[in-house]
Amino acid sequence: MAFEENYLSWVRDAHAMEIQAETMLEKMVDRLEHYPALIARLQLHLQETRQQQALLQSVIDRLNTSNSTFKDALGKMAAISQAMGGMFADDEVVKGAICGYAFESFEIACYTSLIAAADVVGDSEGARVFEQIREQEIAMAEWSLINLPELTEQFLMRDATPGVEAKK
Ligand code: MG
Ligand code: FE
């Protein structure tokens, strides 16, 4: 397969991954009630995710003009990100946060690979976009991990208090 074909396929996978990310983040934001710090951070990342979709679409549009034969089928990675999305959809806040961290790590790996692919095909503009997006994924992953102990404590405290909702 030509370099460019793999490359475009992977950028499209990343776009599909961000559509999945948006759905998951929306669901989590809608469901949560009692964890304001987490809700606020998820809302910020939801905005970032929508911007990421637009950035990826612009890379796809730019590449597509020189490769109109590209087919519409999504690759295997898109299926993986969908499966990961299902995990994220857990209705309990701590499990949701753990799966969220796993999803962000998955995104970091995808963009790290995409940056290398962009270098191989000589797409410096694409590489710049992926680096910018990867910074946001790293920040989200770091925040998730740093705040996981406190979130866990809050959940346990709430769950041990009669009449207090803990899961969301
Ligand atoms: Mg993302
Ligand atoms: Fe993300």
Side-chain angles (χ1 to χ4, degrees):
M1 201 184 278
F3 289 157
E4 287 77 10
E5 218 173 312
N6 268 316
Y7 179 57
L8 179 54
S9 159
W10 292 344
V11 182
R12 292 173 63 98
D13 278 343
H15 187 268
M17 174 178 75
E18 296 303 347
I19 300 282
Q20 193 62 32
E22 181 186 22
T23 304
M24 294 174 338
L25 290 164
E26 274 173 347
K27 278 186 188 158
M28 216 162 162
V29 164
D30 286 350
R31 190 177 55 238
L32 291 174
E33 289 173 24
H34 305 296
Y35 299 89
L38 178 59
I39 293 169
R41 189 62 183 86
L42 290 170
Q43 275 169 338
L44 173 66
H45 198 54
L46 183 55
Q47 286 171 13
E48 289 173 342
T49 298
R50 289 173 180 147
Q51 289 160 3
Q52 292 171 1
Q53 289 172 9
L55 286 168
L56 292 167
Q57 190 60 57
S58 69
V59 174
I60 291 165
D61 291 344
R62 183 167 50 78
L63 297 171
N64 256 339
T65 53
S66 58
N67 188 358
S68 57
T69 59
F70 193 79
K71 47 196 180 303
D72 215 41
L74 290 174
K76 228 177 230 170
M77 292 301 284
I80 293 172
S81 69
Q82 261 193 337
M84 303 263 321
M87 273 170 37
F88 199 169
D90 198 283
D91 68 349
E92 185 255 89
V93 64
V94 176
K95 288 195 184 73
I98 291 169
C99 292
Y101 174 75
F103 192 88
E104 297 306 329
S105 302
F106 175 72
E107 290 186 294
I108 291 165
C110 286
Y111 289 111
T112 299
S113 172
L114 265 181
I115 291 163
D119 288 344
V120 169
V121 304
D123 183 14
S124 56
E125 201 178 320
R128 204 169 32 76
V129 165
F130 307 141
E131 274 166 21
Q132 184 188 333
I133 295 176
R134 184 173 64 170
E135 284 308 306
Q136 295 177 331
E137 312 300 11
I138 290 171
M140 185 65 201
E142 285 179 352
W143 190 95
S144 301
L145 197 58
I146 286 166
N147 286 275
L148 191 53
E150 196 184 321
L151 184 74
T152 304
E153 286 160 21
Q154 283 175 0
F155 171 85
L156 288 172
M157 294 303 178
R158 294 186 70 89
D159 204 43
T161 310
V164 169
E165 165 67 53
K167 281 189 170 191
K168 56 183 185 176

